[in-house]
Amino acid sequence: MVLPATSGGSFDVVVLGGGMAGLGAARVLKARGFDVMVLEKCAEPGGLAATRTDDGFTYDVGPHFIESSLPEKLGALHLCRDTQNGEEMFFDGRFHRVPLGLLKSPGAVASVVGAQMRAVLGPKPTAVNLEERLLSVYGRKFGGEIVGGLIEKWSGQGPRALSIDLLGRLDPPTMRVALFHVYAALRRAVTGQNPHLTRPAVRWVYPEGGIGRLARFLVENERIPISLNTEVEQIKHENGRWSAVATNRGRFTARAFVNTLPLSVVATLVGAGTPFDAHRRLLCQPILLVMVKLARPQLLRHQWAWFPEARFPFYRVS
């Protein structure tokens, strides 16, 4: 249940953060009989999956579509509709639909094909960072300038400073991936459904009224106690264990705490001389979301448009 800001109290478990992770944890704990309280600093549940409304417009703070598996598990699939999401990149003076539209860019195609031929015919490259891996898989044009440019804007760090494991989030240029995108385009044209790359049985969906509706549904349907407008200001600890959290609404004590806040934030809240000291060195890149209301029904042809070139001070419009 959505409660007014609660003035402290004692509970079995206090969950820090009312995003989907925190609400999911509270749902499981409550089902097992624990007295739970979720603390959320914003006026709505959802965290990075929240929705804001203003003057008749709806803005999603975080995701713009999700896998159908999540609302299905929550019993909220009836709130969602299949989404016609698509994306394109702007480089070399024109938009390119992702991924098949990239074939219209001779430079991008030559870059990927050349990299793949070198991987097959030459010695297997040994990459030690993401930049080297991008160049070996996608080539200099597509891997270095386009994908590398987007990653640097997104993370605030050049690919050379990032883990090679990040490449796992990108679609590799394989025949399986190419055939799937052809299949997905045909399925969208025939059924209006947009399947998922790794699990074709899963669809991309969007909740009517915004992505934050799922968080609201979870709170109300499962009657999860959550104190909104409640910001954690300090985490108290004794003998290596968390004992209480001080908030702008009072002091909360519990037998156990579940944390979903970023580790860099927790390191500040618990203070020095704790095992979280090492996490103070974590680098965080803030993201500035600019919401613009335009007097026209549609601006983009697709869900997202990516801008990898350095001359643009932003990396995505959606």
Side-chain angles (χ1 to χ4, degrees), residues 77-160:
L77 193 56
H78 64 285
L79 301 177
C80 304
R81 58 180 172 85
D82 289 296
T83 177
Q84 289 281 0
N85 73 287
E87 53 189 330
E88 55 190 353
M89 289 186 184
F90 186 87
F91 61 89
D92 292 342
R94 58 170 293 182
F95 284 102
H96 301 77
R97 178 71 189 269
V98 177
L100 300 181
L102 297 172
L103 297 176
K104 296 180 180 180
S105 169
V109 172
S111 176
V112 176
V113 171
Q116 293 300 301
M117 290 183 64
R118 287 190 294 272
V120 172
L121 301 177
K124 187 176 179 62
T126 302
V128 297
N129 57 53
L130 184 61
E131 180 181 63
E132 294 179 1
R133 184 64 173 151
L134 286 173
L135 294 177
S136 68
V137 173
Y138 298 107
R140 185 161 300 279
K141 171 69 175 180
F142 192 70
E145 297 178 17
I146 299 175
V147 179
L150 283 174
I151 288 176
E152 182 166 0
K153 287 185 177 184
W154 165 71
S155 68
Q157 297 286 315
R160 180 174 290 274

